[in-house]
Amino acid sequence: MQFRRIRFEKFTVTIFTAHAGEERIILPSELTRGMTAADAEPIAHLLAQYPDAHPLHTIPVFTKGGFEALGGGNPPVLRPAGSGAVQFVRAIDNYRMRATEEGSEYHCITPRSETPVWWQRAFVSGQAGDTFDVLPKEYLYIAEGSFEMAGQTFSGPTMLEITKAYTATITEPVLGVKIWR
């Protein structure tokens, strides 16, 4: 599996590209950084449904092909292109991502902080002409595509800190995520 990193002020993005069948073992510390349900109160009700669930510290955006999340003897969970913003994982021991197609790709956003911090996340996608709103105190990561906002055009991969409310208009199909606390 190949990867490259892009560093932003508050986040690091690692872009993973894989051949079909290739697996990446993901360390428990990389997944949770010691976070508990108390650290991720907004999803505590989801975590309560599964005794082996843990809040996910990193924020994934799946852009090409697909991956299967494997671990803990649970059935594989498909993570297809065009999805992301996963909030929790089950059974962090022996957790792996396996590419389901040649050239599968995902962007893994890791918050850069000394202590574990839970970031809310919402997946963003759309076709040319679609719009989406962003609000102050959000971060917008666009993995692929382009959009216009405040008279400027932005293309992925890019990370923006939002200081005012805007409506963005997609100019090329977009895959990304809004992140806030």
Side-chain angles (χ1 to χ4, degrees), residues 20 29 42 49 56 65 77 81 92-93 99 124 138 175 181:
S29 60
Q49 294 177 21
L56 184 57
V77 177
I92 60 175
D93 295 325
V124 175
E138 287 182 343
L175 295 174
R181 292 197 47 209

Side-chain angles (χ1 to χ4, degrees), residues 103-137:
S104 291
E105 179 182 278
Y106 79 99
H107 296 224
C108 184
I109 304 162
T110 305
R112 296 174 69 179
S113 59
E114 293 296 319
T115 58
V117 174
W118 171 256
W119 287 87
Q120 290 277 55
R121 68 279 313 259
F123 191 68
V124 175
S125 67
Q127 301 300 314
D130 292 349
T131 61
F132 62 93
D133 294 325
V134 291
L135 300 172
K137 299 184 180 178

Side-chain angles (χ1 to χ4, degrees), residues 11 20-21 25 28 37 60-62 68 70 75 77-78 84 100-101 124 134 144 147 165 169:
F11 303 92
I25 297 171
V61 177
F62 299 92
E68 291 177 319
L70 309 164
V77 177
L78 184 61
T100 58
E101 298 177 32
V124 175
V134 291
E144 288 190 344
F147 64 97
T169 302

Side-chain angles (χ1 to χ4, degrees), residues 77-101:
V77 177
L78 184 61
R79 307 277 193 222
S83 68
V86 177
Q87 296 180 312
F88 68 92
V89 295
R90 294 179 62 200
I92 60 175
D93 295 325
N94 195 29
Y95 191 81
R96 306 173 318 282
M97 296 293 283
R98 179 173 53 211
T100 58
E101 298 177 32

Side-chain angles (χ1 to χ4, degrees), residues 36-38 40-55 87-90:
T36 66
E41 188 176 316
I43 64 166
H45 66 287
L46 298 172
L47 297 172
Q49 294 177 21
Y50 304 102
D52 59 348
H54 299 271
Q87 296 180 312
F88 68 92
V89 295
R90 294 179 62 200

